[in-house]
Amino acid sequence: MRKLQSRRTFLGGISAAAAAIGLTERPATAGGDQPLAILGGKPVRRHGFSHWPIIGENDERAWMEVLRKGRWCRMNGDYADRFEHEWARMLGAPHCIAVANGTSALITSLGVLGIGPGDEVLVPPYTFVATINAVLVHHALPVFVDIDPETFQIDARLLESAITEHTACILPVHIGGSAADLDTILAVAAKHKLPVVEDACQAHLGEWKHRKLSTLGDLGCFSFQASKNLNSGEGGAILTHDDRLAQECRSFQNNGRGTGGVAYARNGANLRMTEFQAALIAQQLTRLEEQSRRREQNAAYLTTLLREIPGITPARMYDGCTRNAYHLYMLRYDRSHFEGLPRSRFLKALSAEGIPCSGGYSPLYQEPFLKTTLQSRAFQAIYSPKRLADYLERIHCPANDRLCEEAVWFTQTMFLGPRSDMDQIAEAVRKIQKHAGNLARA
Ligand SMILES: *Cc1c(COP(=O)(O)O)cnc(C)c1O
């Protein structure tokens, strides 16, 4: 306290410019007396965070190479083959099958496992809608298993009580790039002889006990959509240790084409990755390790800063999570430590300070798409009214719904800059906390 006061006196005597060039001992606390930017004061930060995507000469070269060769489809090129080989090698799995996007990776995975009408698939409610759509496309029911409020991941302790005679698969999501509790998930799966599909669409290079996420379940799915840590605009991949499943996936994403003289061996679709996508990801891949390390270091530092702020609780990682991909930096906001300031106002104030942020997902199973799908002709033909009514009874997730009201997200691109960016994020949060009373009354 004494230290803080003397620093204030000091700051009062010098110009703001002197403070800005770093004469203060802790730049993280500078500007605390500034009015909030949302109320007309100076924002903590004026310039944006790292731009995205990052484009190098290697990307341009690879792109033009594909263009000029004229072999734009993987059926007559080899960029997709080369990317698959490299991604499998980096993750330590024998098989990688590239596909058009992450949704296709999930649809293919559930397809080759034979998930279909009448089946139930255990999923977390705190995820991107594609996880759920992949289940619904196969006319199966996504059974929502509530989340662990500390980690934001599926609560693996609740899995067993959600299993019925219809359960056909467990589909955990490594949300934000941190790991779901794979020890518990894999143990429950083994006990009940259920396959596991990992949705690792946000978890490039993330790890569970030093093994790469996507390689621990039967199948693991990635997305390379524009917002993801590894990006080719759109793209996806499936990882597996299982030779037979790998072959089925390869067939499924290629219209069910067979091998050894069989033209079409199974059902499928054209979900192939283009050569342009493959060439671009292969180049983006050369920066992934370095970028991941930077995200990790910055995020870990931000956590040390935010932990000191009452009412701000960063998502905890399970002990088994040896590496977090930090696609999202997620925390809980407790308004009672901010003079009752609603989260929506906090988010607006933080954005005004130059810190982009969002409130993340809304409760997915309450969105209209689910009921609309259940009311479709196909679902009505497959499921009895009683089964659908029972299903709707079962899928409430109160911990998820609370999280959806309290979460605050920062995205991965904010963690690619210098460490001082983290100081500014924490400074902006502290500034809002200090003036929360003014803002709540404004
Ligand atoms: C992005 C994402 C997907 C879908 O990937 P697309 O490439 O956009 O189809 C699926 N699951 C999760 C958790 C995702 O974040």
Side-chain angles (χ1 to χ4, degrees), residues 56-256:
E57 267 178 40
N58 59 332
D59 301 289
E60 290 185 27
R61 218 177 310 118
W63 186 270
M64 288 309 291
E65 216 175 275
V66 176
L67 185 74
R68 292 202 179 106
K69 273 189 186 158
R71 296 175 178 176
W72 302 341
C73 169
R74 72 168 296 175
M75 293 172 92
N76 48 32
D78 66 353
Y79 287 92
D81 295 342
R82 277 150 57 185
F83 160 68
E84 285 173 345
H85 200 77
E86 178 62 9
W87 193 226
R89 188 193 63 76
M90 280 178 74
L91 299 180
H95 305 287
C96 171
I97 301 95
V99 286
N101 52 55
T103 309
S104 298
L106 291 163
I107 290 174
T108 301
S109 296
L110 297 179
V112 303
L113 289 171
I115 306 301
D119 290 340
E120 295 177 358
V121 177
L122 304 186
V123 293
Y126 202 71
T127 185
F128 180 59
V129 68
T131 315
I132 312 310
N133 278 333
V135 177
L136 294 172
V137 152
H138 289 293
H139 300 112
L141 294 174
V143 173
F144 297 92
V145 175
D146 211 349
I147 51 100
D148 175 347
E150 286 189 20
T151 61
F152 300 20
Q153 307 293 327
I154 192 168
D155 191 338
R157 297 162 298 190
L158 302 176
L159 281 173
E160 244 184 324
S161 61
I163 293 174
T164 69
E165 55 179 325
H166 301 295
T167 308
C169 182
I170 307 179
L171 175 43
V173 179
H174 303 299
I175 203 70
S178 187
D181 175 4
L182 279 172
D183 282 1
T184 308
I185 293 165
L186 294 172
V188 171
K191 183 173 162 196
H192 294 269
K193 298 197 166 50
L194 292 169
V196 173
V197 175
E198 293 175 74
D199 182 337
C201 287
Q202 301 187 358
H204 314 80
L205 300 189
E207 290 176 4
W208 181 260
K209 297 189 171 172
H210 304 288
R211 289 166 66 191
K212 293 284 187 285
L213 299 178
S214 79
T215 67
L216 288 97
D218 295 272
L219 296 150
C221 299
F222 283 102
S223 165
F224 309 118
Q225 184 270 341
S227 67
K228 303 295 157 79
N229 296 18
L230 182 59
N231 161 23
S232 55
E234 302 279 5
I238 305 161
L239 278 290
T240 184
H241 286 279
D242 188 302
D243 297 348
R244 187 189 63 83
L245 287 178
Q247 197 187 330
E248 295 288 325
C249 286
R250 208 164 276 295
S251 174
F252 191 100
Q253 57 88 45
N254 195 19
N255 275 321

